[in-house]
Amino acid sequence: MAAFDLEVVRRDTPGTARGIFLDSAGASLMPTPVLDAVLGHLRLEAEVGGYRAKELREDRIEAAYAAIAGLIGCAPDEVALLENATRAWDAVFYGIAFRPGDRILTDVAAYASSYLAFLQTAKRSGAEVVVVPDDADGQIDLAALEAAIDARTRIIALTWIPTGGGRVNPAAAVGAIARAHDVLYLLDACQAVGQVPVDVGALGCHFLSATGRKYLRGPRGTGFLYARRAALDRAEPAVADVRSAEWVSADTFRWRPDARRYETWEMSYAAVLGLGAAVEYAAGLGVHTTWPRIHTLAADLRRRLNAVPGVRTHDTGAVQCGIVTFAVEGTPAEILKSRLAAQGVAVSTATPAGQRLDVERRGLGQ
């Protein structure tokens, strides 16, 4: 396993002196370079105004696109910046013109916001939501997925790593199936980017959504979308905006030729620069370096927790990540969270409302 200087990383993250933060899958502590980028731009806006500040930092703004592209293995013009992962995901999903009988294939671990969009779309259009079951390892069943694909299948929408569990779904294998059947593939990588190595070419996805605030350690209110150049016309943006399209004549417009057709004109450039700094910081450490450490620490934590009487972990999957879920017999999750907070340990709770299909199927949260 390659090493990095942990003490330097801790010095770059002053918040670590205030306690133990085990809730980074929800929102991580920003390192100093990220904070400096955000605050520096806000100060510049206060001095010269928002428009002029944006002009003066145009090179750094473009560098953010390039940094993301380098992190996930695509071209900068295949990256769009949005306010969060849900907006990035929605920008694609709601741009698809579903018809009665169209099939939306998804997994048991689908996040609530995604599944609500499925339900709304099914109600509006008459499309059908098909939930592909898990296999014996507790991850999406690839054979069942392939068997579910037919001429009516419009999209595969997969959660790579769920919000409330440690499984790592076989996203690249799903991509191979999507490619073999020429089915649109939208990948929710909210918990994956920054934690596991990402290569969109190897994944085979047409679109990928991600956030800045989790494993990338960026500011809240940041996210991005990867949109494969060849797939742009397969999901027309749900919103037309002066940034996403050109008003050609009184009754016609033309979409941008790149992924930025999914953006809107107004955005927080302080947050964008913070995201760019976070991606550059993660790239400097090397996700190929940090991922083995995350994987090893999480496996050790599960082993130690399972050795404690009355404690049981709940993570499934042949490959498991840094998200560790567990329960203490007789102690509600919120009570346990409060007790740990009193000792300076921050954790998050996973509720049925966030991942209802998986939680109810396994009888968790009861």
Side-chain angles (χ1 to χ4, degrees):
M1 181 191 306
F4 64 95
D5 195 328
L6 182 59
E7 290 307 313
V8 170
V9 176
R10 286 178 172 156
R11 284 199 300 271
D12 286 345
T13 316
T16 57
R18 299 176 62 89
I20 298 172
F21 295 86
L22 300 181
D23 58 348
S24 295
S28 292
L29 296 177
M30 290 184 290
T32 300
V34 174
L35 183 62
D36 290 345
V38 174
L39 296 181
H41 193 74
L42 289 176
R43 292 190 186 98
L44 184 61
E45 286 187 345
E47 293 167 1
V48 303
Y51 285 8
R52 180 59 178 154
K54 191 257 186 179
E55 292 172 357
L56 291 172
R57 293 293 179 267
E58 197 69 55
D59 59 335
R60 294 305 305 154
I61 292 166
E62 290 301 315
Y65 289 92
I68 293 168
L71 185 73
I72 66 173
C74 69
D77 69 356
E78 294 179 306
V79 174
L81 300 181
L82 295 103
E83 302 92 321
N84 52 63
T86 299
R87 275 283 294 114
W89 189 95
D90 285 347
V92 173
F93 183 77
Y94 280 105
I96 300 171
F98 289 97
R99 301 179 296 268
D102 283 350
R103 287 159 62 90
I104 301 165
L105 271 54
T106 190
D107 59 302
V108 173
Y111 181 53
S113 293
S114 302
Y115 208 85
L116 290 170
F118 300 151
L119 294 177
Q120 183 187 47
T121 297
K123 182 178 180 180
R124 285 177 173 177
S125 68
E128 176 188 4
V129 183
V130 179
V131 179
V132 179
D134 287 343
D135 62 16
D137 289 319
Q139 59 195 27
I140 190 169
D141 187 318
L142 296 173
L145 171 65
E146 189 146 29
I149 297 174
D150 62 17
R152 297 173 297 157
T153 302
R154 194 68 185 278
I155 190 171
I156 298 170
L158 177 73
T159 305
W160 192 353
I161 296 174
T163 186
R167 81 174 71 182
V168 180
N169 270 320
V174 171
I177 292 171
R179 184 165 48 248
H181 294 272
D182 192 29
V183 175
L184 199 65
Y185 180 22
L186 170 58
L187 182 60
D188 173 358
C190 196
Q191 279 75 235
V193 173
Q195 177 178 193
V196 302
V198 177
D199 180 342
V200 292
L203 288 168
C205 55
H206 297 94
F207 300 95
L208 177 148
S209 59
T211 186
R213 76 175 192 272
K214 298 192 177 190
Y215 281 93
L216 283 176
R217 304 175 66 205
R220 293 195 70 173
T222 58
F224 68 85
L225 172 71
Y226 157 71
R228 188 192 301 177
R229 191 180 298 111
L232 287 176
D233 293 331
R234 297 184 68 170
E236 182 177 276
V239 175
D241 173 87
V242 294
R243 182 168 177 81
S244 65
E246 178 187 1
W247 193 5
V248 178
S249 68
D251 57 0
T252 60
F253 74 92
R254 179 170 52 236
W255 292 113
R256 282 187 64 131
D258 58 16
R260 297 188 204 186
R261 63 172 59 185
Y262 294 100
E263 297 181 352
T264 53
W265 185 80
E266 181 60 22
M267 63 176 70
S268 168
Y269 286 103
V272 166
L273 292 172
L275 175 62
V279 173
E280 289 173 352
Y281 192 92
L285 294 176
V287 179
H288 287 278
T289 297
T290 56
W291 163 235
R293 178 177 174 80
I294 291 170
H295 183 268
T296 299
L297 289 174
D300 185 57
L301 177 57
R302 290 188 189 96
R303 179 181 60 79
R304 290 169 180 261
L305 287 170
N306 286 323
V308 176
V311 177
R312 183 162 61 96
T313 60
H314 293 299
D315 302 310
T316 64
V319 177
Q320 296 179 346
C321 67
I323 301 176
V324 178
T325 55
F326 67 97
V328 177
E329 185 178 355
T331 305
E334 287 298 332
I335 298 297
L336 180 60
K337 177 181 176 181
S338 296
R339 290 176 180 173
L340 288 170
Q343 299 178 56
V345 180
V347 298
S348 294
T349 56
T351 65
Q355 200 175 313
R356 185 164 296 280
L357 297 183
D358 187 47
V359 167
E360 291 184 346
R361 180 184 62 83
R362 293 198 282 155
L364 304 177
Q366 299 178 355

